[in-house]
Amino acid sequence: MENRFLAQAYKANHSIWNYVLGIILVVIGALVFSLPYNIVVANKIAEGTADASRVEDLNYLYTLMDSNLSMFYMMLPFVGGMITLYLVIKKIHKQSWINLTTSRTKIDFKRVFFSFFFWGSMIVLLNGISYFLSPESIVWNFDAKKFAVLLLLSIILIPIQTSFEEYVFRGYLMQALGVSTRTKWMPLVVTSVIFGLLHYANPEVKELGYGIMVFYIGTGFLLGVMTLMDEGMELSLGFHAANNLISALLVTTDWTAFQTAAIFKDTSSPSLIMELVAIAILYPVLLFVFSKKYKWKSWKEKLI
């Protein structure tokens, strides 16, 4: 059985060298848009207000400027990457954006929104349970002016960031590996592992240990399975946007990659409990709900 989503690449210029060139250009596009942040940090080092030996520490960088400003600068590379990816798809691959997104004749935004609100509700519920179990560790962090700016930036920039990651991993690379290897399991495994490993530099790894990599790679597999089984990226787009957007607005900490002017602040010691609950319980529940709602069949054929 052919996976219709992977087969969308055959409708485009799918030479492996086109994909190699495309990835190089996307990386360059992201790097160009990272220059403003690097220039700001370099100026602070020159002024003596920043320690050059610590700028690789993301937690330290958050102390150098307002959290909203940091977020704006950190989101810019994803904007650059998304713009470049769009041009690569149109100019090099001659592929429609719809074919990169889904096997359906048009993007199913109902799927995007269902995934967004379903997973978003689970995040809120999980944080509610966390507060119930340890209310003293969740403190009020609301600052109306800062939160208003955060809300505006988040609504605009976070969906770009999450969509860029999805289009690169669950879209571009998955289709590229699908047509080049003529397999289904290879795109799933490779994109999931690379997606997880790219989070290696996150502060969470230092705080929680290498066990967190199981969560990152596992999340990659979840998103990959959703894409292959549903033969489109809509569900993964909604999930990823909800995960980052609601997390950024609802609860922040002093040790994660995303430190924001959120409504609440978690002051508890770093723990893997939330991630383990997600991997062991919530992700299987999510796949079960989606499989029933969208009548997924032929798991083995679509994934392997």
Side-chain angles (χ1 to χ4, degrees):
M1 177 184 292
E2 182 179 64
N3 189 291
R4 292 180 298 161
F5 175 70
L6 296 180
Q8 296 301 300
Y10 289 113
K11 300 177 182 179
N13 294 338
H14 57 273
S15 163
I16 186 63
W17 297 112
N18 282 344
Y19 285 108
V20 171
L21 175 61
I23 288 296
I24 292 172
L25 291 175
V26 168
V27 171
I28 292 173
L31 289 175
V32 168
F33 274 67
S34 72
L35 289 177
Y37 191 63
N38 293 329
I39 291 171
V40 169
V41 173
N43 286 338
K44 288 184 176 294
I45 293 173
E47 295 167 356
T49 57
D51 183 351
S53 65
R54 298 182 62 192
V55 294
E56 297 298 326
D57 183 352
L58 191 56
N59 285 333
Y60 174 69
L61 290 177
Y62 277 115
T63 68
L64 299 180
M65 62 187 78
D66 175 77
S67 61
N68 285 329
L69 190 57
S70 293
M71 177 182 174
F72 172 75
Y73 281 128
M74 291 175 64
M75 292 292 106
L76 284 181
F78 298 102
V79 175
M82 182 64 97
I83 293 172
T84 309
L85 179 62
Y86 181 82
L87 293 175
V88 164
I89 293 301
K90 290 294 184 180
K91 302 299 182 182
I92 295 178
H93 293 280
K94 309 295 183 182
Q95 184 179 24
S96 75
W97 197 252
I98 292 176
N99 287 344
L100 179 66
T101 308
T102 184
S103 62
R104 287 166 272 277
T105 55
K106 60 181 180 179
I107 298 172
D108 188 346
F109 286 101
K110 288 184 179 180
R111 275 174 155 85
V112 177
F113 291 127
F114 178 78
S115 179
F116 180 94
F117 287 111
F118 187 80
W119 182 243
S121 299
M122 295 181 81
I123 294 174
V124 173
L125 177 62
L126 195 60
N127 279 282
I129 293 173
S130 179
Y131 175 77
F132 177 78
L133 295 175
S134 182
E136 70 283 352
S137 65
I138 308 295
V139 299
W140 187 251
N141 190 57
F142 184 73
D143 181 309
K145 290 183 179 180
K146 285 188 174 182
F147 184 79
V149 176
L150 171 66
L151 181 61
L152 178 63
L153 289 175
S154 297
I155 291 174
I156 296 172
L157 296 176
I158 289 181
I160 294 176
Q161 177 244 325
T162 57
S163 295
F164 171 69
E165 292 186 6
E166 288 309 301
Y167 274 105
V168 168
F169 288 99
R170 259 60 65 178
Y172 196 65
L173 286 178
M174 190 165 272
Q175 288 187 357
L177 289 167
V179 298
S180 62
T181 67
R182 298 184 181 276
T183 65
K184 301 161 191 173
W185 66 268
M186 183 73 80
L188 174 61
V189 172
V190 173
T191 58
S192 301
V193 171
I194 295 176
F195 176 79
L197 292 179
L198 286 180
H199 290 78
Y200 178 79
N202 282 15
E204 290 92 331
V205 177
K206 180 180 179 181
E207 297 292 336
L208 299 172
Y210 295 118
I212 189 67
M213 296 305 297
V214 174
F215 170 73
Y216 289 138
I217 295 174
T219 300
F221 271 101
L222 170 75
L223 295 168
V225 168
M226 285 161 50
T227 298
L228 291 178
M229 288 305 304
D230 203 50
E231 297 189 302
M233 287 171 46
E234 291 97 335
L235 297 178
S236 68
L237 286 168
F239 172 96
H240 206 156
N243 189 75
N244 288 25
L245 181 61
I246 295 176
S247 297
L249 295 174
L250 190 59
V251 182
T252 188
T253 71
D254 286 331
W255 51 271
T256 54
F258 240 20
Q259 296 179 29
T260 67
I263 299 173
F264 298 101
K265 186 172 185 177
D266 186 351
T267 61
S268 62
S269 299
S271 170
L272 271 173
I273 292 177
M274 296 273 277
E275 287 75 13
L276 293 176
V277 169
I279 286 284
I281 301 174
L282 298 186
Y283 285 4
V285 168
L286 193 69
L287 288 176
F288 177 78
V289 171
F290 286 164
S291 69
K292 293 301 180 181
K293 181 174 177 60
Y294 298 112
K295 298 179 174 58
W296 292 348
K297 297 178 180 179
S298 306
W299 286 70
K300 182 178 179 180
E301 289 79 3
K302 286 187 178 181
L303 298 179
I304 300 176

